[in-house]
Amino acid sequence: MTLLSAPEETTTASRPTPGRLRVVLMLDVHDGAQDRFLEAYELLRYQVSAVPGHISDQLCQSIDDPSRWLITSEWESAEPFLAWVDSPAHREMVKPMHGCVSDTRSLRYSVLRETRGTAATDTTAPPLRPGEHHPGVPGAVRPGPDGVVRHALSFTVKPGAEARAAELLAGYRSPDARVDDTTRLLRTSLFMRGNRVMRCVEVAGDLTAALRHVARQPGVRAVEEALNPYLEEDRDLDDPLSARDFFQRAALPAVHHHAGLKTGPVQRHAYLYPVRPGAGAALAELLAEEDEQAAADPGSPLVRATVYRHDDLVLRLVDLLGDPADDPATALGLAGPRAAAVLGKLAEPAERTHDGLRRLLAECATTPVTDRTSAED
């Protein structure tokens, strides 16, 4: 059985890149913060206009509710905007707005058709069809046929703070599993390797609603606040812009999930791959092909596998029957005909011997911190 929690990366490889991009940022400004917000925008507007690819922007205020504002901007294409919005320069630019807004939401649209009087300007790119997504942009998080949405977050803590971070992340009280009538938390698995934290979540229903539900839990919030001093990148969870930037940078979307109908005691493991620069997408595709074959093979110990990727950060979460050291090839996604291609995408390809694969397994392995499965109501 094959379950895809997000569209495959190959679905848009041959599509023409759409033209201009329209970005809509909706903000709710705190009472009493309007003047400070306008001062921050005045500083920001000319900095943004100097970013390569930027065309124009507008600041708008609601005529129904003075606390609601809108910033729209237009870009030559999605690529320069996405490169800028993920950059440290962007994070520095928007800092003056921190503390001014109580809520924010960012929407991005390709400009396909435009009419001015009797003149029409249309792009050559066709509209995206359901299941497709813009090149370089992860598809919307969608549930697989089993109704489960899979997503992960990855961030780093300061070197030397690993033990304290693990203690905090393992010690909190689990939040209520039931979010609402349609959404439920199913499982959270957390791993570390070095100073990198990887948190994988499984949700039935609406992922956004589930993440907001978790963030509101007092116990979880206390842990997140206690973790803040140990993070390599600063964040302010009380400020929507700061929190949004952090979670956007930390997002590690699930790009593939494969599962087989197998029974027996299962162990969960996570592997972080040493990726050759620029090879992350190809590696994720190859691992997915390997996992699909292994999950369908009744003799394989692989029960489930999920591949998460952001750029060249590739994480693979697997449920196995037995000890991974007994079958390192399957544990690593290297048991099938594409094994050589997978190894070719790694920074330092391993020998395809049992000992070589065991060394690679040890290099990719992460340390489990906590694995929480919700109980049924």
Side-chain angles (χ1 to χ4, degrees), residues 2-12 129-133 137-152 186 201-208 252-257 306-308:
T2 301
L3 308 175
L4 294 180
S5 59
E8 295 189 3
E9 295 297 317
T10 55
T11 55
T12 58
R129 297 182 295 273
E132 294 182 326
H133 53 105
V137 179
V141 179
R142 298 183 296 126
D146 60 353
V148 177
V149 179
R150 294 171 173 87
H151 192 62
L186 299 178
V201 297
E202 299 175 10
V203 173
D206 186 331
L207 175 65
T208 301
L252 198 59
V255 293
H256 296 285
H257 176 77
T306 308
V307 178
Y308 302 88

Side-chain angles (χ1 to χ4, degrees), residues 328-329 332 334 339-340 342-344 346 348-361 363:
L332 287 166
L334 291 164
V342 172
L343 288 170
L346 302 184
E348 296 183 6
E351 299 177 6
R352 294 181 65 184
T353 63
H354 188 76
D355 288 343
L357 293 179
R358 289 188 71 172
R359 285 193 293 270
L360 180 60
L361 183 73
E363 181 182 354

Side-chain angles (χ1 to χ4, degrees), residues 260-337:
L261 299 176
K262 303 175 185 180
T263 58
V266 171
Q267 297 180 17
R268 174 158 285 195
H269 306 271
Y271 300 104
L272 188 64
Y273 291 79
V275 182
R276 182 160 50 82
L283 175 62
E285 291 292 331
L286 291 167
L287 289 171
E289 294 177 26
E290 293 282 287
D291 288 336
E292 183 175 17
Q293 178 174 307
D297 180 1
S300 170
L302 183 73
V303 179
R304 287 174 292 272
T306 308
V307 178
Y308 302 88
R309 183 185 75 85
H310 179 77
D311 294 335
D312 288 340
L313 185 64
V314 178
L315 176 71
R316 183 165 158 273
L317 185 69
V318 298
D319 290 342
L320 295 170
L321 298 168
D323 189 335
D326 295 337
D327 189 351
T330 297
L332 287 166
L334 291 164

